[in-house]
């Protein structure tokens, strides 16, 4: 028999669906009460003609006051013989957007604050760790009670402890270590910190510590710049119009003048400390601001017509003299240990052949300024530095440098320009020796130690960043036992085998370490800052490696992130993330694309390293070249399907994917290849390879990497057929396009093209622009909403709950 549904039944069902839940708050943290007095009144009104308002006395207790106990009674605590103010507080952790009301009754004079901001009765709580505080004013022997009630669609859970899931403000707020630098003898370390408050106010502080004991010696007002020879640092002052450097003894704090009336500009101190080398700028020719000629693609960049030149400042005499002259611009890369030679590089355009920028390399005599040309028109080179004895140069370059002497690949295969190798160049013979040809990690930072003549470097090692030491005589490379999973910003003492570095753990902010090195071992290893402290009361989930073998027989590496309160019997929506440029998605903890944050909102997260990423060897990285996403997309799709098959707790019908820049392109491209995703987010993604190639400041440069020797007129299949725009009709996934509208890397037009296409096709698409932001969203408040936009989109499509999205972007009847 069919069941008839009446109008009354429909009304009842509708009322049940929208029924609110009332949650009373019966326990609070208590600060106070503290005595306050009514001010002495000379007159009955103030200058505005207003009478004294007792509620103004509530400001006498800070919202951050430490609790002195708990309160769960009926009558608010007060003082028997004085007016008093008290503070009641509690916390709410919510993983979904909450819209409702809160009612505070009882006290005659009170104020409600949510996260430090005075609030009314309306609730719009984005997923976050929220602090609720109620200030109240009590008269002696008051019998005021307190009633706090939430009125929300679902029950509110509150708590009195401040522990909470890792939320969005844990990404941006708090104290973080940002740098560590060593004195020349390795005895002292200066650690730099940045502390950001809720709202974006940021401050820096510095600690000078004894390396052996860890003892705090002083807290300089600025970041010390250590001298390369003396056990001292330099401080800069302005004396009238003169720029002055002072030398500071770290033990005594005594300052002596080091250099007076130096030029404006960045500088390097000679290892012998008898001169400084400045990099200065001179203006190029000006154009009519209204109608002007563009000389070449890079001429669109502000400051491109400026050219650098080098200037020497003599410490003893104060004489300043120009060292280089020309129209290409010169850069100082190194000064030999004895101070006699400079390594100078000048870059110039060569647009008709890849690479479009080549380098001229010179060794200059620091006294006579005579320069010998080592390399002319060198291709695919990065930086360089002298050996300790000055007879050799250590170059960083990609596998195509020096006529592919460091390349593992067949001649017909183009390696990635972002995969970095080391080369040893002998100045006398001009012979080149590849040092890392058979070493798969991709080189990051390098230092050739004066203390032990070993070469220290950090490198992308799959999805880790590890530290290594290379013996230039034997060619042997050993991995150093560095702590953590992502070692970076390392610094070597100039005249001691002491190394300082920062390192993230996969699930922990960066720590700062100092180690003494001998025979590729750490003899002593001390921690200067423990990154676990930066987590504060935030609690995070877990991460486990999850690799799979793809259909080609390759191992594709990845990681699966699970929430703190993970329950394998539940079904979880999942967010998939992959690399943006060419580097792998490393274990860098502070990325704005933070799986530990997604976990706190109830998602599992899968991060994988598809083909084309650096750090896995030259062949793997070369798969980024001239594929326009095809190989990486196949890995992402296959990995997503396999991880769902292996983990029944993943809801395969509620999977989202997200990427930025090249990863934003991958997000769009994936939707033309598969229907496994229920929602997608593309930040600054490339929709049309043909337009991107000629648009942004670096479009054609990046095409040298990803589309080597391929052009729109010669390789239509790559530029057109592989562009998401030309396949927009295949996209059925709800797609969010995010873009800073001042993006000079991937211009806004890329998202606009895809937005237009999907709108005309009648597909689910939203475009959100971030005013004035470039390729990265850096402004604190804009970043806050940008992050919320991403997660509101996923809540809408992966949790079937649009309340957060609707609160951020209310429906318009247009």
């Amino acid at each position: 028999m069919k069941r008839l549904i009446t109008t009354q039944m429909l009304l009842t069902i509708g009322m049940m669906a929208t029924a609110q839940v009332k949650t009373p708050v019966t326990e609070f943290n208590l600060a106070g009460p503290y005595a306050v007095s009514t001010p002495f009144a000379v007159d009955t009104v103030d200058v505005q003609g207003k009478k004294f308002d007792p509620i103004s006395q509530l400001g006498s207790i800070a919202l951050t006051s430490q609790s002195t106990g708990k309160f769960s009674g009926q009558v608010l605590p007060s003082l028997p013989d004085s007016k008093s103010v008290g503070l009641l507080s509690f916390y709410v952790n919510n993983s979904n957007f909450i819209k409702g009301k809160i009612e505070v009754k009882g006290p005659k004079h009170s104020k409600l604050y949510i996260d430090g901001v005075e609030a009314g009765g309306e609730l719009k709580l984005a997923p976050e760790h929220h602090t609720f505080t109620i200030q109240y004013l009590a008269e002696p022997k008051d019998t005021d009670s307190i009633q706090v009630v939430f009125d929300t669609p679902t029950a509110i859970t509150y708590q009195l402890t401040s522990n909470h899931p890792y939320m969005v403000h844990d990404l941006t707020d708090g104290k973080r270590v940002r740098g560590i630098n060593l004195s020349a003898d390795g005895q002292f370390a200066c650690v730099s910190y940045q502390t950001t408050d809720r709202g974006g106010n940021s401050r820096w502080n510095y600690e000078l510590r004894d390396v052996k004991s860890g003892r705090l010696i002083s807290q300089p007002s600025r970041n010390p710049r250590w001298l390369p020879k003396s056990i001292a640092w330099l401080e800069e002052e302005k004396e009238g119009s003169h720029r002055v450097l002072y030398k500071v003894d770290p033990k005594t704090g005594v300052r002596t003048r080091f250099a007076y009336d130096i030029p404006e500009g960045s500088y390097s101190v000679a290892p012998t400390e008898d001169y400084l080398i400045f990099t200065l700028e001179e203006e190029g020719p000006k154009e009519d601001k209204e109608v002007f000629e563009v000389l070449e693609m890079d001429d669109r960049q502000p400051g491109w017509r400026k050219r650098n030149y080098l200037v020497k400042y003599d410490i003893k005499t104060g004489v300043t003299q120009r060292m280089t002259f020309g129209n290409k611009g010169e850069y100082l890369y190194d000064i030999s240990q004895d101070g006699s030679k400079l390594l100078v590089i000048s870059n110039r355009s060569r647009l008709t052949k890849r690479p479009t920028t080549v380098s001229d390399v010179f060794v200059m005599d620091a006294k006579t300024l005579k320069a010998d040309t080592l390399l002319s028109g060198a291709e695919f080179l990065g930086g360089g530095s002298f050996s300790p004895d000055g007879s050799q140069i250590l170059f960083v370059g990609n596998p195509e440098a020096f006529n592919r002497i460091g390349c593992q690949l067949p001649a017909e295969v183009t390696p990635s320009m972002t995969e970095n190798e080391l080369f040893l160049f002998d100045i006398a013979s001009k012979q080149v020796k590849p040092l890392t040809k058979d070493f798969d990690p991709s080189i990051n930072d390098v230092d050739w130690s004066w203390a032990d003549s070993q070469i220290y470097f950090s490198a992308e090692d799959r999805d880790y960043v590890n530290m290594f030491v290379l013996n230039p005589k034997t060619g042997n490379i050993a991995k150093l036992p560095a702590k953590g999973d992502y070692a970076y910003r390392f610094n070597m003492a100039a005249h001691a085998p002491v190394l300082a570095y920062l390192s993230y753990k996969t699930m922990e902010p960066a720590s700062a370490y100092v180690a003494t090195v001998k025979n590729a071992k750490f003899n002593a290893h001390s921690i200067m800052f423990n990154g676990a402290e930066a987590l504060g009361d935030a609690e995070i989930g877990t991460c486990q490696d999850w690799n799979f073998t793809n259909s080609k027989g390759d191992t594709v590496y990845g990681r699966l992130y699970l929430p703190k309160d993970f329950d394998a019997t539940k079904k979880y929506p999942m967010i998939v993330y992959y690399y943006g440029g060419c580097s792998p998605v490393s274990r860098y903890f502070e990325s704005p694309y933070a799986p530990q944050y997604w976990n706190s909102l109830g998602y599992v997260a899968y991060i994988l390293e598809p083909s084309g990423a650096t750090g896995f060897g030259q062949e793997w990285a070369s798969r980024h070249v001239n594929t326009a996403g095809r190989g990486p997309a196949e890995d992402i799709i296959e990995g997503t399907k396999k991880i769902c098959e292996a983990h029944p707790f993943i809801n395969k019908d509620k999977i989202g994917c997200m990427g930025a820049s090249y990863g934003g392109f991958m997000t769009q491209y994936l939707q033309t290849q598969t229907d496994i995703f229920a929602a997608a987010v593309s930040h600054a993604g490339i929709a049309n390879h043909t337009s991107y190639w000629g648009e942004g400041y670096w479009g054609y440069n990046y095409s040298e990497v990803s589309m080597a020797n391929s052009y729109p007129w010669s390789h239509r299949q790559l530029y057109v057929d592989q562009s998401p725009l030309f396949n927009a009709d295949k996209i059925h996934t709800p797609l969010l396009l995010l873009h800073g509208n001042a993006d000079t890397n991937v211009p806004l037009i890329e998202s606009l093209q895809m937005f237009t296409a999907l709108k005309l096709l009648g597909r689910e698409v939203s475009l959100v622009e971030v005013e004035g932001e470039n390729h990265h969203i850096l402004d604190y408040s804009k970043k806050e909403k940008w992050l919320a936009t991403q997660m509101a989109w996923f809540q809408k499509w992966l949790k079937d709950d649009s309340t957060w999205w609707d609160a951020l972007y209310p429906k318009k009847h247009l």
Side-chain angles (χ1 to χ4, degrees), residues 53-287:
D53 186 355
I55 204 168
S56 64
Q57 294 179 283
L58 289 177
S60 57
I61 180 172
L63 296 178
T64 55
S65 295
Q66 294 295 315
S67 65
T68 54
K70 302 287 189 291
F71 171 71
S72 58
Q74 293 300 314
V75 178
L76 283 170
S78 60
L79 298 178
D81 53 1
S82 172
K83 280 188 177 185
S84 59
V85 293
L87 189 73
L88 304 175
S89 64
F90 59 91
Y91 304 98
V92 171
N93 300 322
N94 56 302
S95 60
N96 290 313
F97 188 87
I98 296 175
K99 186 176 181 179
K101 295 181 179 180
I102 182 173
E103 188 175 50
V104 179
K105 288 184 176 180
K108 290 185 286 292
H109 301 295
S110 67
K111 287 184 179 181
L112 168 68
Y113 295 84
I114 302 176
D115 298 328
V117 178
E118 189 172 351
E122 294 294 321
L123 279 183
K124 292 182 179 180
L125 298 181
E128 185 53 85
H129 170 63
H130 296 287
T131 302
F132 286 74
T133 52
I134 300 164
Q135 285 185 336
Y136 69 91
L137 178 67
E139 297 285 347
K141 300 179 182 180
D142 253 349
T143 58
D144 287 351
S145 61
I146 182 78
Q147 294 178 341
V148 178
V149 179
F150 285 103
D151 187 5
T152 53
T154 56
I156 290 281
T157 300
Y158 70 92
Q159 63 187 49
L160 301 187
T161 57
S162 60
N163 60 299
H164 61 277
Y166 191 90
M167 287 295 190
V168 66
H169 285 101
D170 296 304
L171 279 173
T172 54
D173 300 351
K175 183 179 180 179
R176 300 287 189 275
V177 63
R178 295 302 188 206
I180 184 166
N181 294 288
L182 294 168
S183 59
D185 62 354
Q187 291 186 37
F188 303 101
C190 183
V191 189
S192 308
Y193 302 95
Q194 182 184 23
T195 302
T196 303
D197 298 325
R198 179 72 65 93
N201 182 52
S202 188
R203 58 191 178 277
W204 289 78
N205 67 290
Y206 310 96
E207 294 179 348
L208 181 65
R209 292 188 176 273
D210 179 86
V211 165
K212 287 185 178 180
S213 66
R215 179 176 60 89
L216 179 64
I217 297 172
S218 65
Q219 293 180 300
S221 58
R222 305 173 197 173
N223 191 17
R225 177 172 182 155
W226 294 105
L227 283 163
K229 184 178 179 182
S230 306
I231 315 306
W233 74 74
L234 293 179
E235 281 186 357
E236 182 177 326
E237 300 285 353
K238 268 287 189 181
E239 297 180 3
S241 61
H242 303 296
R243 188 183 181 196
V244 184
L245 296 179
Y246 283 90
K247 185 175 178 179
V248 184
D249 186 308
K251 295 180 181 178
T252 65
V254 172
R255 303 197 327 161
T256 55
R257 183 182 284 181
F258 182 72
Y260 181 76
D261 197 19
I262 61 174
E264 297 295 333
S266 62
Y267 65 90
S268 298
V269 184
T272 47
E273 297 181 7
D274 55 347
Y275 64 88
L276 308 175
I277 300 295
F278 285 83
T279 301
L280 305 183
E281 280 185 345
E282 55 189 353
E283 294 284 347
K286 299 288 187 180
E287 290 276 346

